[in-house]
């Protein structure tokens, strides 16, 4: 199969008024993203609050996304579970519903040695029925060292790529240099939108970027401009989107800021599965105003309407 390239969108998990998964809205989101040219979809990532969903709900999300994509774009599904057996069960489910590959973080909650982490991924690579992208996100799980990743990539064809959300461009460069020079088909995806253009310039294959779910038009334009070698234009667009990303990532209770972004773009995503304080509710309202007006600067009519409405109703 072809290597993974482009922008894979970690989609939100929308809920209805009772807090249950809103399946029809999830389908509407996926169709909208594909219509706006994204390269692939990434269900059950951090943005999709996978740890707040039940195992059966995670399976259902993957099934809905894969059915809705219907082969139009590849699906890279999050399959990180709390132990090896459940992770392999999710791998099998993702294979059964037609996903292209799965993304698996280092084990989370318990702190483990690099030797244990390497052993874990070796067992996965030997038993998984579907290709694996090794997901490094040290803010939420055990970091996977570059030497461990390099050994895994060069020994196991089943491990086809990595997603790196460490915010460490130097680390990303060492991965490219140490692995792609020996295995050119290995996919190196950046997981932090502030580094998209630098990562592409240094030989990265794309990214899995949450902002692409809120502004797919902008992120895809940055990616396509960079791939065309128009680096000055790509650099300017990269800086333009920074404020939007910062407003969403720094909102109280991640991924609340991104859920606000989806609401501004016209989707009903419901409340995140975690309560907020009264003080945070006030802050979230302020963030909604800022995000809507920042998005309006890109010419999005839906964002402009929200921005104008909030300006009109805000106290003088």
């Amino acid at each position: 199969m072809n290597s993974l390239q482009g922008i894979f969108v970690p989609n939100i998990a929308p809920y209805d008024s009772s807090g249950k998964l809103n399946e029809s809205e999830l389908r509407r989101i996926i169709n909208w993203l594909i219509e706006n040219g994204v390269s692939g979809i990434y269900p059950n990532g951090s943005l999709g609050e996978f740890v707040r969903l039940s195992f059966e709900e995670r399976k259902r999300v993957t099934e809905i996304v894969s059915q809705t994509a219907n082969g139009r774009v590849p699906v890279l599904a999050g399959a990180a579970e709390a132990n090896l057996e459940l992770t392999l069960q999710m791998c099998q489910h993702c294979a059964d519903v037609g996903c292209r590959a799965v993304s698996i973080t280092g084990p989370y909650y318990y702190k483990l040695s690099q030797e244990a982490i390497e052993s874990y991924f070796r067992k996965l690579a030997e038993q998984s029925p579907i290709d694996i992208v090794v997901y490094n996100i040290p803010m939420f799980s055990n970091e996977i060292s570059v030497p461990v990743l390099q050994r895994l990539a060069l020994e196991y064809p089943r491990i086809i790529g990595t997603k790196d959300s460490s915010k460490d461009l130097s680390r990303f460069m060492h991965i490219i240099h140490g692995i792609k020079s020996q295995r050119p088909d290995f996919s190196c995806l950046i997981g932090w939108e502030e580094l998209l253009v630098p990562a592409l310039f240094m030989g990265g294959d794309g990214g899995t970027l949450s902002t692409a779910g809120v502004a797919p038009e902008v992120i895809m334009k940055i990616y396509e401009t960079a791939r065309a070698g128009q680096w000055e234009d790509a650099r300017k667009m990269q800086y333009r989107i920074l404020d939007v990303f910062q407003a969403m990532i720094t909102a109280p209770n991640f991924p609340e800021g991104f859920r606000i972004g989806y609401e501004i773009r016209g989707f009903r995503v419901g409340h995140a599965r975690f309560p907020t304080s009264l003080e945070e509710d006030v802050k979230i309202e302020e963030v909604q105003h800022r995000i809507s007006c920042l998005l309006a600067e890109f010419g999005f009519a839906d964002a402009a309407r929200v921005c104008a409405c909030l300006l009109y109703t805000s106290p003088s």
Side-chain angles (χ1 to χ4, degrees):
M1 292 186 178
N2 295 331
S3 61
L4 299 180
Q5 293 187 334
I7 304 299
F8 286 75
V9 183
N11 61 276
I12 207 80
Y15 306 119
D16 62 22
S17 58
S18 65
K20 295 181 180 179
L21 186 67
N22 189 332
E23 297 189 359
S24 61
E25 197 69 351
L26 177 56
R27 292 187 180 92
R28 192 163 78 93
I29 289 170
I30 300 307
N31 278 320
W32 178 74
L33 290 171
I34 294 173
E35 289 165 2
N36 276 285
V38 303
S39 310
I41 308 294
Y42 181 15
N44 290 335
S46 302
L47 189 75
E49 296 180 281
F50 77 98
V51 295
R52 293 173 179 166
L53 303 177
S54 69
F55 185 70
E56 291 304 317
E57 284 178 317
R58 290 195 286 275
K59 290 171 65 177
R60 183 60 178 153
V61 166
T62 303
E63 183 178 6
I64 291 170
V65 170
S66 186
Q67 288 176 347
T68 306
N70 195 27
R72 290 178 290 171
V73 297
V75 175
L76 170 62
E81 298 293 337
N83 59 56
L84 179 65
E85 180 182 357
L86 284 178
T87 302
L88 287 170
Q89 285 183 34
M90 185 59 77
C91 288
Q92 184 63 63
H93 172 74
C94 293
D96 291 343
V97 300
C99 296
R100 168 63 184 88
V102 293
S103 171
I104 301 175
T105 70
Y108 46 86
Y109 189 78
Y110 295 104
K111 293 296 183 183
L112 299 175
S113 67
Q114 287 300 306
E115 291 80 7
I117 294 168
E118 183 170 351
S119 177
Y120 173 73
F121 277 103
R122 285 181 179 275
K123 291 182 183 298
L124 285 174
E126 290 163 0
Q127 299 178 53
S128 174
I130 189 171
D131 287 345
I132 296 170
V133 170
V134 176
Y135 180 9
N136 185 60
I137 181 166
M139 68 183 74
F140 294 139
S141 65
N142 282 277
E143 182 163 11
I144 304 153
S145 72
V146 174
V148 166
L149 178 60
Q150 184 169 351
R151 285 193 294 270
L152 292 169
L154 298 181
E155 292 181 35
Y156 291 99
R158 181 58 94 187
I159 295 178
I160 65 166
T162 188
K163 172 190 174 182
D164 196 282
S165 297
S166 66
K167 299 187 283 186
D168 187 340
L169 183 60
S170 175
R171 173 195 160 92
F172 194 71
M173 290 168 59
H174 280 290
I175 292 169
I176 294 172
H177 180 64
I179 298 176
K180 287 183 77 71
S181 59
Q182 301 179 66
R183 187 180 167 186
D185 65 323
F186 190 80
S187 296
C188 293
L189 305 174
I190 197 72
W192 201 256
E193 25 272 83
E194 291 171 314
L195 295 178
L196 176 57
V197 171
L200 292 172
F201 183 77
M202 297 310 298
D205 296 289
T208 60
L209 307 176
S210 298
T211 306
V214 175
E217 308 93 329
V218 178
I219 299 297
M220 290 310 303
K221 183 66 174 178
I222 294 173
Y223 172 76
E224 291 162 358
T225 301
R227 295 290 283 191
Q230 300 170 12
W231 296 110
E232 182 61 19
D233 290 340
R235 182 182 65 82
K236 290 178 180 178
M237 286 187 285
Q238 172 84 81
Y239 277 115
R240 283 193 68 199
I241 201 66
L242 286 186
D243 289 340
V244 176
F245 173 67
Q246 276 298 307
M248 293 191 294
I249 198 70
T250 57
N253 290 334
F254 173 88
E256 195 65 45
F258 294 90
R259 300 184 75 83
I260 291 170
Y262 275 84
E263 289 276 358
I264 291 168
R265 295 307 307 270
F267 296 101
R268 301 180 302 276
V269 301
H271 296 289
R273 286 185 170 176
F274 201 83
T276 54
S277 68
L278 293 176
E279 293 81 2
E280 288 171 328
D281 288 339
V282 172
K283 179 65 175 177
I284 286 169
E285 289 183 7
E286 296 172 355
V287 170
Q288 181 188 25
H289 182 194
R290 176 163 173 74
I291 294 171
S292 62
C293 293
L294 286 170
L295 287 171
E297 294 177 5
F298 288 93
F300 300 143
D302 41 18
R305 285 191 294 270
V306 175
C307 178
C309 179
L310 291 173
L311 284 172
Y312 179 77
T313 57
S314 62
S316 56

